[in-house]
Amino acid sequence: MNGEDVSREVSEPHGGQDTRFGRGPGAVAGAVYGLVSIIAVIVGASHFDDSAGRVFAFAVVSSFVIWTVHVYASILAESGSELAPWRSVLIAGVRHEIGIVEGVFVPLLILFLGAIGWIDDGRAIAWSMWSGVVLLVLIPLFWLRRTGRSWVGSLVASGACGLLGLGLTWMKVLLH
């Protein structure tokens, strides 16, 4: 395998498949991971009297750190096996982990709306968590149906993923 083959293989994860949200398994996995992590961060960061701005700032920084660590791990994994050019390995790492960014987008947007005063702080925090739960139900449903899975199997997987989100939101009740 020459350097050009390695570069193409690294820059086209999943066989050249587009990995933007809903188009590749890596993006779907990243989106689910991003949602679970952002719900957990919001649960851990929010208290009864917290502002949405404070929770938003903490969630943005935490999400960035989580995403950066995942990109670094992808780069490390890709660069260890072959002498691929750093630029292509970096681009591949960012592409491979973009699902995490896509997964945290909606909850962070809702928190941002609370931070700027468009939504009450308490509602923004609660809605951001619930948006994550709803997305945890919808992502497996649409992904599995798109890949040809049965309705029953898709609904079971969606329910299981939704229960994970509900479990995380229940942690807020237990912790606070």
Side-chain angles (χ1 to χ4, degrees):
M1 184 177 271
N2 65 32
E4 186 178 316
D5 292 335
V6 171
S7 177
R8 186 179 323 106
E9 185 176 305
V10 169
S11 65
E12 297 176 359
H14 307 295
Q17 193 175 15
D18 186 354
T19 58
R20 287 179 292 193
F21 179 80
R23 296 188 185 164
V28 171
V32 169
Y33 180 81
L35 283 165
V36 169
S37 66
I38 195 70
I39 294 169
V41 165
I42 294 167
V43 165
S46 63
H47 301 282
F48 291 112
D49 58 348
D50 274 342
S51 71
R54 182 188 164 289
V55 176
F56 173 74
F58 188 81
V60 166
V61 170
S62 298
S63 297
F64 180 75
V65 169
I66 290 167
W67 178 72
T68 304
V69 168
H70 276 263
V71 169
Y72 171 76
S74 289
I75 291 169
L76 187 61
E78 291 293 336
S79 64
S81 60
E82 298 284 340
L83 295 177
W86 281 107
R87 183 171 187 256
S88 64
V89 172
L90 174 64
I91 291 168
V94 169
R95 282 184 183 161
H96 186 261
E97 301 301 337
I98 199 68
I100 294 173
V101 175
E102 293 168 335
V104 302
F105 180 77
V106 171
L108 285 179
L109 177 62
I110 294 169
L111 281 174
F112 175 74
L113 294 175
I116 62 173
W118 286 14
I119 302 173
D120 174 72
D121 287 336
R123 282 193 177 108
I125 292 168
W127 291 356
S128 65
M129 288 189 311
W130 284 110
S131 72
V133 174
V134 168
L135 288 169
L136 282 173
V137 170
L138 294 177
I139 288 172
L141 179 65
F142 288 116
W143 171 253
L144 294 172
R145 288 299 300 150
R146 184 179 159 271
T147 58
R149 299 290 181 173
S150 71
W151 273 106
V152 172
S154 299
L155 289 171
V156 168
S158 292
C161 204
L163 286 175
L164 176 63
L166 286 175
L168 285 169
T169 56
W170 180 247
M171 291 300 293
K172 181 165 176 58
V173 173
L174 294 176
L175 290 173
H176 309 293

